[in-house]
């Protein structure tokens, strides 16, 4: 796993934009985009609050919004997410055979990175300052909502 700080690239910025949109809607600021051959084919953000959903995390929303894709498209795609993927989202990454995941940060929450790597997924953690501060601020402001979703 690579874990060197990097500048925010356009795809991570798109995921951050999704997270900020979720926050503006009263939800949890986690965003994600699915990129295939240099083009965003799915984007999403955590919509559990907005939709009353039990499963719409940012990664799940991005996959849903990408629509049905072939196994080859998933295998050739990279998933960008502002926060380390939880067990549910990691399961979806494995189920669809996504081979590369770029994570904005894993300081506020460490997801199933070891599982993903053990199954051949390449991970890069950017330690992105915008992602870190967005989550730290949210957790401080809305601890009960964070605990309801993923923070336990």
């Amino acid at each position: 796993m690579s874990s060197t700080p990097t500048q925010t690239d356009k795809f991570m910025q798109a995921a951050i934009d999704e997270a900020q949109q979720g926050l503006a809607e009263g939800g949890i600021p986690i965003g994600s985009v699915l990129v295939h051959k240099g083009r965003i084919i799915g984007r999403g953000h955590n919509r559990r609050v907005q939709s009353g959903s039990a499963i719409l995390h940012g990664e799940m929303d991005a996959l849903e919004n990408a629509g049905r894709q072939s196994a080859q498209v998933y295998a050739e795609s990279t998933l960008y997410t502002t926060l380390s993927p939880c067990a549910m989202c990691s399961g979806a990454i494995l189920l669809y055979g996504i081979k590369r995941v770029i994570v904005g940060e894993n300081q506020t929450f460490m997801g199933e990175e070891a599982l993903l790597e053990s199954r051949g997924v390449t991970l890069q953690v950017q330690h992105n300052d915008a992602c870190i501060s967005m989550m730290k601020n949210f957790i401080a402001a809305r601890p009960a909502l964070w605990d309801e979703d993923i923070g336990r």
Side-chain angles (χ1 to χ4, degrees), residues 9-10 34 55 69 75 112:
D9 64 41
K10 67 181 181 179
L34 184 65
I55 62 168
Q69 300 295 326
E112 299 296 328

Side-chain angles (χ1 to χ4, degrees), residues 16 19-20 23 29 82 129-138:
I16 292 168
Q20 290 170 335
L23 183 62
T82 59
D129 290 336
C131 295
I132 294 167
S133 63
M134 183 168 42
M135 284 312 303
K136 282 185 176 180
N137 292 340
F138 175 78

Side-chain angles (χ1 to χ4, degrees), residues 59-75:
E59 299 91 337
M60 302 297 280
D61 194 38
L63 289 168
E64 177 69 15
N65 290 327
R68 288 179 60 195
Q69 300 295 326
S70 71
Q72 180 177 350
V73 168
Y74 290 122

